[in-house]
Amino acid sequence: MSTITFDDFMKVDIRIGTVVEVTDFPEARKPAYKLKIDFGDEIGVKKSSAQITVHYSLQDLAGRKVAAVVNFPPRQIGPFMSEVLTLGFSDDNGDVVLVSVDRDTPNGSRLH
């Protein structure tokens, strides 16, 4: 793994947001959901495709705080344009566990 500078880290804009809508994504190659995430007034509501169906149901995700990279270019995932990258870690089976916060934080708060 190569070393990066603090300036390199600051180029990646990671924000917290609230999932305001979640639907199945049956067209995805691997099981996934389509999320709409509210990042507050500055960024607004953005869309994301997330392969998180193993650990989370549609009901688990509505209203949940999630972290995402908000300054990558949009990416076409089948018929869906994903605007942000929702963040998580792989468990022992390679399934995604979402990054979360242990206190309430305002939508749009930046990771530092």
Side-chain angles (χ1 to χ4, degrees):
M1 178 180 353
S2 62
T3 302
I4 65 170
T5 67
F6 185 75
D7 288 339
D8 291 332
F9 170 74
M10 290 304 295
K11 290 177 186 176
V12 182
D13 193 357
I14 300 172
R15 305 285 182 119
I16 197 80
T18 301
V19 176
V20 294
E21 184 179 315
V22 56
T23 56
D24 285 317
F25 188 6
E27 303 90 354
R29 281 186 285 148
K30 295 181 180 179
Y33 294 129
K34 293 188 251 185
L35 309 176
K36 287 188 180 177
I37 306 166
D38 181 0
F39 292 101
D41 292 338
E42 180 184 348
I43 297 170
V45 175
K46 298 292 183 181
K47 300 180 294 182
S48 181
S49 169
Q51 295 175 355
I52 53 176
T53 60
V54 171
H55 292 298
Y56 306 95
S57 69
L58 295 172
Q59 296 76 20
D60 292 334
L61 294 167
R64 183 183 180 93
K65 293 280 190 170
V66 295
V69 176
V70 299
N71 65 334
F72 284 153
R75 183 173 178 193
Q76 190 75 42
I77 314 273
F80 184 74
M81 183 64 72
S82 188
E83 300 172 305
V84 299
L85 176 64
T86 304
L87 299 175
F89 294 97
S90 296
D91 67 11
D92 289 337
N93 296 318
D95 300 312
V96 177
V97 176
L98 291 170
V99 172
S100 62
V101 292
D102 64 358
R103 300 278 191 276
D104 193 30
T105 54
N107 288 342
S109 294
R110 186 172 180 160
L111 177 73
H112 38 177

